[in-house]
Amino acid sequence: ATVSVLYWVIPHHTPLPAPTPGLTRWRIPVRVATPPMRVFNVFTNPSYLREPKPTKMPAEIIDGKKIAAELREEIKKQVDQAKDGGQGVPGLAVIIVGERKDSQTYVRLKHKAADECGFKSFQIELPADITQENLIAKIEECNADPAIHGLIVQLPLPKHINEPEVLALVSEAKDVDGLGPQNICSLYTRGKEPLSYPCTPKGIITMLKRSGVEIEGKRAAVIGRSNIVGLPVAHMLMQLDATVTICHSKTVDIAKVCRECDIIVAAAGCREMVTADFVKEGAAIIDVGTNCIDDPTKKQGYRTVGDVNFDACSAVAGKISPVPGGVGPMTIAMLLNNTLDSYKRQQKARSSSA
């Protein structure tokens, strides 16, 4: 067989024409010119025959800060309606033991958000050397107080306090952190529903739903297996009919596992461990991590990053949450939402018994 090859010779400064759609070659006469020359074999340069690949748009931002603000506004409206109807307002109590600066900061943020939504805030500060018996007595006092609808014991507690034993004593009805044994047991039992879902996992699910991410029938990877985030959010995704893989430090080829998934929840506490090769094109990513790295350009000398390399993954993902401004604001919004739901349940119970 004889194969004819078309060569096209043009000066180096002459622009190449675009190919005609549907044609396998150009009908262009050979032009003779003086050097310097470029010689192209249009059949052996396949990259020139193919149409250019469309440029991928950057990933859509899942703006947790914006979603949380919308939720707080919705909560405030309901609280104002209850107040106008003479039904009182939700009460949120936080017990803090000791003087850890990070714990005090978290508590201050919770009370600020509660006050802005019209809640009544109770901040109970106890000394670091309090006995476990006295702490338990204070918890029981809050359990019995009808003005308190949500109760949190701020962690961590001093080493001489048995955390699981203390947390188990918070009333199930007032466990708005959703981490007490009764609520967790209900979460992990098929066919049951907890009174309060854990705040951060609930915030993650809300972010996905409000951002239009389809969950049912999709594959999801949860990186991290903590009791506070990883395990609860994995179960909540399964309840919504996702097929879930929990990844951890012993997972073989974790990047390959994640690359097969439509949703990635990164909650490992490892700075920027999720890179572009973890991500399936168009996947949704929720970054739960909070890690500090040195940055002399910042006033405080550091900046906060997540478990996801944001810039690299944004080029591949369809939707992604930032750090900061992603999951953090949602956790507090879900705490307020749980407290409002607890308030409604307790109001309904009082009305029924009256």
Side-chain angles (χ1 to χ4, degrees), residues 161-177:
I161 302 290
N162 185 320
E163 279 188 5
E165 187 176 329
V166 166
L167 294 177
L169 295 172
V170 175
S171 163
E172 180 185 6
K174 297 186 180 186
D175 172 30
V176 290
D177 251 347

Side-chain angles (χ1 to χ4, degrees), residues 66-82 90 113 116-119 202 206 210 330 333-334 336-337 340-341 344:
K66 179 182 176 183
I67 297 171
E70 294 169 353
L71 286 166
R72 289 199 304 271
E73 187 60 34
E74 293 167 14
I75 291 167
K76 186 178 185 305
K77 286 180 181 178
Q78 294 183 60
V79 172
D80 289 343
Q81 289 173 357
E116 289 172 353
C117 289
F119 286 32
K202 185 177 180 180
T206 303
R210 291 212 173 199
M330 290 297 297
M334 292 300 100
L336 300 176
N337 183 260
L340 178 62
D341 288 345
K344 290 176 180 177

Side-chain angles (χ1 to χ4, degrees), residues 98-113:
E99 298 180 352
R100 283 180 59 116
K101 291 191 182 299
D102 55 349
S103 293
Q104 290 173 336
T105 299
Y106 297 144
V107 170
R108 186 167 60 251
L109 290 172
K110 291 170 183 176
H111 282 300
K112 182 175 181 290

Side-chain angles (χ1 to χ4, degrees), residues 218-224 230 233-234 237 242-247 254-267 278 284-286:
K218 300 299 182 180
R219 294 196 62 183
V222 177
I223 306 174
V233 80
L237 286 165
T243 300
V244 182
T245 301
I246 299 177
C247 302
I254 188 170
K256 181 177 183 295
V257 173
C258 293
R259 205 161 46 240
E260 296 172 350
C261 294
D262 309 288
I263 300 168
I264 298 174
V265 178
F278 279 62
I285 304 175
I286 300 292

